[in-house]
Amino acid sequence: MATKKLGSRLETEIERCRSECQWEKIPELVKQLSAKLIANDDMAELLLGECKLEQHLKENPIKQGTSSPGPRAKLTEVRKHLTAALDRGNLKPEFLQEASLIMAKLNYVESDYKEAQAIYSRVALDEMQLVAVPVYRLRMIAEAYATKGLCLENLTALSPANSLHGDREQEIITCYEKCGDIALLYLQEMERAMNVGLQNRSPKPGPTSQEQELGFFLETGLQRAHVLCFKNGNLTKGVGRFREILRAVETRTTQNLRMTIARQLAEILLRGMCEQSYWSPLEDPPQQSPLDDPLHQGLSAKNYALSRRPKVYTGENVFCPQENTEEALLLLLISESMANRDAVLSRIPEHKHDRIISLQSASIVYDLLTIALGRRGQYEMLSECLERAMKFAFEEFHLWYQFALSLMAAGKSARAVKVLKECIRLKPEEPTIPLLAAKLCIGPLHWLEEGQRFAQMVVESGDRSSEFKAKGYLALGLAYSLQATDASLRGIQENLQKKALGAFQRAHSLSPTDHLAAFYLALQLAISRQIPEALGYVRQALQLQGDDSNSLHLLALLLSAQKHYHDALNIIDMALSEYPENFILLFTKVKLESICRGPDDALLSCKNMLQIWKSCYNLTNPSDSGRGSSLLDRAFADRRQLNNITLPDFSDPDTGSVHATSIAASRVEQALSEVASSLQSSAPKQGPLHPWMTLAQIWLHAAEVYLGIGKPAEATACIQEAANLFPMSHNVLFMRGQVAELRGNVDEAKRWYEEALSISPTHVKSMQRLGLILHQLGRYSLAEKILRDAVQVNSTAHEVWNSLGEVLQAQGNDDAAAECFLTALELEASSPIVPFTIIPRVL
């Protein structure tokens, strides 16, 4: 009785070691089995043959397409053990089957594919049971199917006459599919058994499931079926096979394989499948698909049955993707999570190889995520994903650069610049990186000194191509030009404008075919009021890029500076035929129409702008009181002629004229407007700020036209529409002052202008109007002080010079007044309809 119990325990331990592939323990257990139990010699031969074969394969692993290397002496021993077990025939039928399967595997290792195939035919592999069998036998059966498939492939390759036989191809794929299914079942059962064992006995040292390896045969079965499907042009079946593997309940052993398959399927969905050919994972695959080779149509259905299948994830309310990008994104996010979890962070030399493989695997996932999320414009989500990759991106330029680009696209400019600095450190010789940093600093961030430093890096980068140097000088010129706009002292302004002009000239000489170099040189000349020279260069820019909206806009402004208003309006109309939704062009059109065609056409353009705004931005106006553009319709009842109007300078960042103080002012305005809106209990503005600023400007332009025809009531209504959006905008406050002046309320106008200047201290129009009111009130010294400050801010504003001349004349300073009047006349002769700085200056 004791002997029977001992034998039972030994058999259980042997079974466990075979299931867990602990081959090194088998010889010792076989000795115990032979010593304690009678008639176990054949079983011992079987076990020794199996363990020696597995140890040989562990020491000399097989690679796809090659036989096992290494000495053949051990294989000879394996054959002796197995032959002895089979020849005596004392084993039970199931153990005889096992011995035959191991012998077939040995024949494959020795490249005797025909003999291996013959053995599989004799043992009736398809009839072997999967229910109520030991776990290790599932592995043996799975490996047998993989080996059979490999033998069939090799025999097909050796006999080219059969290479195109469809039935043979299908038989090979079926073998691999059966292997994959049974392998997943084996791994699930293995993990369940080990978890039960850990619960039932105290932990002890030994191999754990994390150390379990798939091995060549199981891995081949799991990965080869879909490879052959794709190779044969049957994409539908290959995708279906991927999904079957991924739906199986995960085990720790298959985690790396799962990540690889998820990534591969995502790549196929992104690159090889369109929305029309996509089908849901829970639907049956289409019988006819444009994805497949016509010779392999209709082979997508599974043509085999197993008595037992691996468990799959099921349940209610399980998420199922409905389109290819959605499924690809789900797969990639799963892969990214696994890549982050398994990342090798250790920097010690022993882990270098593992770290490189881990990084390469993660990089592929992030590249595919970039494609998937980039297609949907989900840059915010992409930047968050790439931020998680930073933990293993030390000294890895590619991931840092991708992170920087994603931050740029997501609008996180300040962080993008910091990341680009790290990219510059990693690749100091690459000129595109500081150019990108300069673009951000000059554009959305308005860090002009920082942008100048980045541009200087490109310019001083040594023997680089003239194209990059030209871009570097272009960025440098923009930084100088914007700094000149910001400067509060005329001397500093003039010095910076000279530097900007020199940088643009250098850029143009290095790259004479770059339309931007010619355009910005023309723009800088225009700002410096060198109108004829600017016209020459803007025509060059248009010859190089005839449909550039900014070049056409500049040409129109230059013509308006020469008082050719009708020609300027024709140019604007031509530009709008190409860019009908360009609001900067539309604002200029309103001002030109006020002069050339009268207020009716100008108001009609304002109404058209409201309709364009509505179609461009699907937003709900919180201030919509039902009046809408009917305010504009009322303008047509009055046909009076429109007098020549001076329209306000909209120096908001979104109109292109970026000024350091105007940026600060816009932030103050936004904060105060939000406070005021909350006090008035109006609904919050939805979406980004830019559309609402554009809408406010449309209303203010309409108000300006109404003021020009002496209609303060309609102008006030338009201003109120803008005020409902931005109650504390300095432009809104200025326009309220204009209405008060029109009504003769000087004190009220003075108060509005002072409030506008408290928000934006450098708003030149408010300074000029306040100076004139102070002049009317007899406060000449304060009026002179304010107007001189305005001249310092913008030395080309002819209205300010004229007002300063009037104040000086009232004080009896006729010589200085005359000089101011002459300056005003000279500047007015070259003054455009709107300031040249309204055109955006960005890289």
Side-chain angles (χ1 to χ4, degrees):
M1 189 71 178
T3 304
K4 188 173 182 181
K5 284 184 178 179
L6 178 60
S8 177
R9 282 200 300 270
L10 278 171
E11 287 170 3
T12 302
E13 185 64 16
I14 287 170
E15 198 175 288
R16 187 183 68 80
C17 289
R18 292 178 78 185
S19 297
E20 296 178 8
C21 300
Q22 297 183 35
W23 307 113
E24 66 282 354
K25 293 184 178 181
I26 295 291
E28 182 60 35
L29 293 170
V30 167
K31 285 181 185 178
Q32 295 178 36
L33 189 68
S34 300
K36 301 294 180 183
L37 298 175
I38 302 168
N40 274 316
D41 289 345
D42 290 352
M43 190 64 192
E45 296 286 3
L46 166 63
L47 293 172
L48 288 172
E50 182 183 28
C51 81
K52 287 182 179 180
L53 176 59
E54 295 297 340
Q55 285 176 326
H56 172 81
L57 292 174
K58 191 173 182 180
E59 294 164 6
N60 307 282
I62 303 175
K63 294 183 179 178
Q64 184 67 40
T66 63
S67 59
S68 175
R72 297 283 173 168
K74 187 172 280 190
L75 295 179
T76 305
E77 290 180 30
V78 172
R79 186 171 290 278
K80 285 180 182 177
H81 288 302
L82 294 174
T83 303
L86 287 166
D87 286 351
R88 284 198 287 264
N90 295 328
L91 291 170
K92 293 178 181 178
E94 63 266 26
F95 293 126
L96 279 173
Q97 281 183 328
E98 289 179 12
S100 297
L101 294 180
I102 298 166
M103 181 64 85
K105 187 175 179 181
L106 173 63
N107 285 322
Y108 171 77
V109 171
E110 293 182 332
S111 303
D112 191 350
Y113 307 124
K114 284 186 179 178
E115 181 59 28
Q117 187 64 18
I119 292 172
Y120 287 131
S121 299
R122 287 199 299 271
V123 297
L125 187 58
D126 290 335
E127 297 174 11
M128 294 186 75
Q129 285 298 310
L130 302 176
V131 182
V133 296
V135 176
Y136 73 84
R137 196 168 296 160
L138 294 174
R139 176 184 57 78
M140 292 184 75
I141 296 170
E143 287 186 345
Y145 276 116
T147 311
K148 182 180 178 182
L150 288 165
C151 290
L152 289 171
E153 273 200 89
N154 282 294
L155 290 171
T156 303
L158 293 172
S159 54
N162 297 327
S163 60
L164 297 176
H165 199 281
D167 292 340
R168 174 59 64 89
E169 286 179 357
Q170 188 56 45
E171 184 182 1
I172 293 168
I173 291 171
T174 301
C175 284
Y176 289 135
E177 287 181 331
K178 288 181 177 180
C179 169
D181 288 347
I182 299 169
L184 291 170
L185 177 62
Y186 156 68
L187 292 167
Q188 290 171 359
E189 289 296 310
M190 189 69 233
E191 184 150 303
R192 186 184 65 81
M194 295 191 78
N195 289 337
V196 170
L198 287 172
Q199 291 170 8
N200 293 340
R201 65 176 185 267
S202 59
K204 59 182 180 180
T208 61
S209 58
Q210 287 93 329
E211 296 169 355
Q212 185 98 5
E213 292 184 2
L214 281 172
F216 168 75
F217 294 99
L218 295 186
E219 195 165 339
T220 299
L222 285 164
Q223 292 194 324
R224 190 76 181 144
H226 53 258
V227 170
L228 290 177
C229 290
F230 295 139
K231 187 178 177 182
N232 294 338
N234 195 338
L235 194 65
T236 302
K237 187 167 185 178
V239 169
R241 184 62 192 161
F242 269 139
R243 287 170 167 175
E244 286 176 12
I245 296 172
L246 290 169
R247 286 188 66 196
V249 174
E250 185 180 14
T251 64
R252 281 168 283 190
T253 309
T254 57
Q255 284 177 348
N256 289 335
L257 176 71
R258 193 180 189 84
M259 184 176 78
T260 303
I261 288 177
R263 189 184 69 218
Q264 289 172 343
L265 177 55
E267 190 165 0
I268 288 166
L269 290 169
L270 289 172
R271 297 181 177 176
M273 188 181 288
C274 63
E275 292 180 7
Q276 288 72 26
S277 57
Y278 178 81
W279 75 100
S280 171
L282 298 181
E283 296 173 358
D284 293 329
Q287 290 299 312
Q288 303 287 327
S289 172
L291 301 173
D292 298 338
D293 187 323
L295 297 175
H296 294 83
Q297 292 276 10
L299 298 177
S300 300
K302 194 180 290 296
N303 59 355
Y304 66 90
L306 293 175
S307 59
R308 195 175 170 200
R309 288 193 170 279
K311 293 179 181 177
V312 296
Y313 290 110
T314 56
E316 295 181 2
N317 302 321
V318 175
F319 172 77
C320 181
Q322 298 301 316
E323 58 172 356
N324 58 335
T325 309
E326 198 173 72
E327 184 176 349
L329 186 55
L330 174 64
L331 292 164
L332 290 170
L333 289 172
I334 293 170
S335 300
E336 187 234 352
S337 174
M338 298 173 77
N340 270 302
R341 183 196 60 201
D342 300 333
V344 179
L345 304 180
S346 173
R347 307 297 299 181
I348 62 175
E350 291 82 3
H351 293 162
K352 182 178 180 182
H353 178 68
D354 292 338
R355 190 175 67 251
I356 290 171
I357 292 174
S358 168
L359 177 67
Q360 287 174 343
S361 176
S363 293
I364 294 169
V365 172
Y366 284 113
D367 287 346
L368 290 170
L369 267 172
T370 303
I371 295 170
L373 292 170
R375 284 182 181 177
R376 295 303 183 91
Q378 296 294 323
Y379 299 111
E380 178 87 21
M381 188 176 180
L382 177 60
S383 66
E384 290 171 3
C385 291
L386 287 164
E387 187 171 6
R388 292 194 288 269
M390 290 297 101
K391 70 176 184 180
F392 52 84
F394 178 69
E395 299 291 321
E396 294 297 334
F397 172 78
H398 178 69
L399 285 174
W400 278 99
Y401 196 44
Q402 291 284 76
F403 185 35
L405 294 175
S406 69
L407 288 170
M408 284 180 67
K412 300 175 181 177
S413 304
R415 289 196 68 197
V417 169
K418 291 180 180 179
V419 177
L420 285 170
K421 285 181 181 177
E422 177 65 12
C423 294
I424 292 169
R425 186 187 69 78
L426 294 172
K427 272 199 176 180
E429 73 285 353
E430 182 59 54
T432 55
I433 306 170
L435 268 178
L436 284 172
K439 177 186 176 77
L440 291 175
C441 291
I442 291 167
L445 293 173
H446 205 68
W447 295 351
L448 300 180
E449 292 181 0
E450 191 86 358
Q452 179 186 328
R453 282 195 289 273
F454 284 122
Q456 205 74 43
M457 283 184 198
V458 183
V459 169
E460 296 170 355
S461 59
D463 297 328
R464 292 284 161 207
S465 68
S466 59
E467 181 186 354
F468 285 116
K469 278 219 166 171
K471 290 291 183 187
Y473 277 112
L474 200 62
L476 195 60
L478 286 169
Y480 286 140
S481 180
L482 289 165
Q483 285 181 76
T485 304
D486 286 355
S488 57
L489 297 175
R490 285 181 64 188
I492 296 173
Q493 282 181 3
E494 289 170 2
N495 183 41
L496 287 167
Q497 284 177 355
K498 283 179 185 176
K499 286 184 177 181
L501 203 55
F504 289 135
Q505 286 170 341
R506 184 84 173 109
H508 185 57
S509 64
L510 286 170
S511 184
T513 57
D514 182 6
H515 76 281
L516 285 176
F519 164 70
Y520 280 120
L521 178 53
L523 180 57
Q524 190 57 42
L525 287 165
I527 291 170
S528 303
R529 296 300 175 90
Q530 300 178 46
I531 305 300
E533 294 87 345
L535 273 168
Y537 282 111
V538 78
R539 287 191 175 112
Q540 280 187 39
L542 286 167
Q543 285 173 356
L544 295 167
Q545 186 79 25
D547 60 349
D548 180 55
S549 62
N550 288 333
S551 297
L552 289 167
H553 196 180
L554 178 57
L555 178 59
L557 294 184
L558 288 167
L559 290 171
S560 74
Q562 294 182 329
K563 308 304 178 255
H564 302 315
Y565 295 120
H566 289 279
D567 293 339
L569 185 54
N570 290 336
I571 296 291
I572 292 292
D573 285 335
M574 184 174 69
L576 284 170
S577 67
E578 289 288 329
Y579 307 97
E581 296 172 357
N582 188 316
F583 284 102
I584 299 178
L585 289 172
L586 287 165
F587 292 146
T588 304
K589 179 183 179 180
V590 169
K591 298 189 178 185
L592 285 168
E593 281 183 331
S594 297
I595 294 175
C596 299
R597 298 173 183 168
D600 295 348
D601 284 1
L603 289 171
L604 187 61
S605 292
C606 289
K607 182 178 179 181
N608 183 43
M609 274 197 282
L610 285 170
Q611 291 168 344
I612 292 171
W613 185 91
K614 216 167 190 177
S615 64
C616 285
Y617 306 109
N618 187 21
L619 300 168
T620 304
N621 184 359
S623 65
D624 192 357
S625 57
R627 293 189 296 272
S629 57
S630 62
L631 289 172
L632 300 173
D633 295 334
R634 290 165 56 189
F636 300 109
D638 193 329
R639 297 288 174 181
R640 283 181 289 172
Q641 291 295 315
L642 182 65
N643 295 323
N644 193 355
I645 321 170
T646 302
L647 298 176
D649 169 19
F650 288 94
S651 56
D652 286 319
D654 293 284
T655 64
S657 178
V658 184
H659 194 286
T661 50
S662 69
I663 287 178
S666 68
R667 288 174 183 160
V668 171
E669 286 171 19
Q670 184 184 354
L672 292 175
S673 296
E674 287 172 358
V675 171
S677 296
S678 65
L679 292 174
Q680 294 167 7
S681 301
S682 63
K685 292 184 287 295
Q686 304 168 0
L689 191 62
H690 173 75
W692 300 112
M693 294 183 75
T694 303
L695 181 59
Q697 288 186 39
I698 295 171
W699 285 115
L700 292 178
H701 275 75
E704 188 67 34
V705 178
Y706 279 122
L707 284 174
I709 56 177
K711 289 195 168 184
E714 285 82 353
T716 301
C718 290
I719 293 167
Q720 186 57 46
E721 292 287 340
N724 288 338
L725 295 167
F726 297 99
M728 303 307 292
S729 167
H730 65 278
N731 285 315
V732 170
L733 299 172
F734 169 75
M735 292 300 293
R736 289 192 189 279
Q738 292 279 84
V739 172
E741 273 198 86
L742 183 62
R743 287 174 168 163
N745 299 328
V746 176
D747 291 334
E748 184 186 348
K750 175 175 171 288
R751 180 170 59 81
W752 287 122
Y753 294 141
E754 286 172 344
E755 287 190 17
L757 288 171
S758 69
I759 300 293
S760 179
T762 58
H763 188 229
V764 173
K765 287 290 183 182
S766 296
M767 296 170 85
Q768 186 243 340
R769 299 308 305 173
L770 181 59
L772 282 179
I773 287 175
L774 290 170
H775 167 56
Q776 292 173 26
L777 297 174
R779 301 174 66 181
Y780 302 127
S781 298
L782 184 55
E784 181 185 350
K785 167 71 170 60
I786 289 172
L787 291 169
R788 286 192 184 278
D789 288 345
V791 165
Q792 288 290 336
V793 173
N794 184 0
S795 60
T796 59
H798 63 275
E799 303 99 330
V800 179
W801 284 105
N802 189 65
S803 300
L804 181 58
E806 290 179 14
V807 171
L808 291 171
Q809 187 179 29
Q811 290 177 302
N813 194 347
D814 294 336
D815 292 340
E819 198 154 327
C820 288
F821 289 138
L822 287 171
T823 304
L825 282 171
E826 185 181 341
L827 289 171
E828 197 275 335
S830 61
S831 178
I833 192 72
V834 294
F836 292 113
T837 51
I838 198 173
I839 297 176
R841 284 171 283 175
V842 291
L843 190 58

